[in-house]
Amino acid sequence: MNKVLRMDPIDNLATCLVPIAKGTEVEVDGIRVTALEDIPQYHKIALCDIARGDVVYKYGQVIGLASRDIAAGAYAHTHNVESTRGRGDRAKEDAACS
């Protein structure tokens, strides 16, 4: 079983299907990252560097904006992603990770 799930090629986050310990390498769709911190099951890991203000994608949808720089392998959650769900003012842009 893969440890993470990426639903769409545009996603710059993946969902952790199991708890991921700091230092664990995960791979999905040819992208390899090392967890920079412990990430709980069903939470998100950044698949690439995401700059502050960049659009954050999960399941092929915009879920927010990075409220600060997020390094590849970092835990992505409310402390570094500002939700835009329901705002309707963010269009789908080019994939951040490829």
Side-chain angles (χ1 to χ4, degrees):
M1 175 175 90
N2 202 350
K3 295 177 185 178
V4 298
L5 176 67
R6 181 182 189 207
M7 295 296 291
D8 192 284
I10 200 167
D11 293 349
N12 49 13
L13 302 179
T15 301
C16 298
L17 301 176
V18 298
I20 304 293
K22 179 180 178 179
T24 300
E25 184 178 90
V26 297
E27 180 178 356
V28 63
D29 298 333
I31 298 169
R32 288 184 190 181
V33 296
T34 300
L36 301 178
E37 53 206 302
D38 293 339
I39 304 174
Q41 184 176 23
Y42 305 127
H43 286 246
K44 300 170 294 299
I45 188 170
L47 296 176
C48 59
D49 292 337
I50 305 168
R52 181 179 182 197
D54 281 356
V55 175
V56 178
Y57 294 96
K58 181 179 171 190
Y59 303 133
Q61 301 292 314
V62 174
I63 64 162
L65 298 175
S67 59
R68 59 177 150 182
D69 291 343
I70 304 170
Y75 178 24
H77 199 50
T78 57
H79 66 285
N80 55 12
V81 177
E82 173 191 344
S83 177
T84 57
R85 301 290 290 172
R87 286 177 41 175
D89 62 346
R90 297 288 175 190
K92 200 171 197 178
E93 298 173 10
D94 292 336
C97 298
S98 47

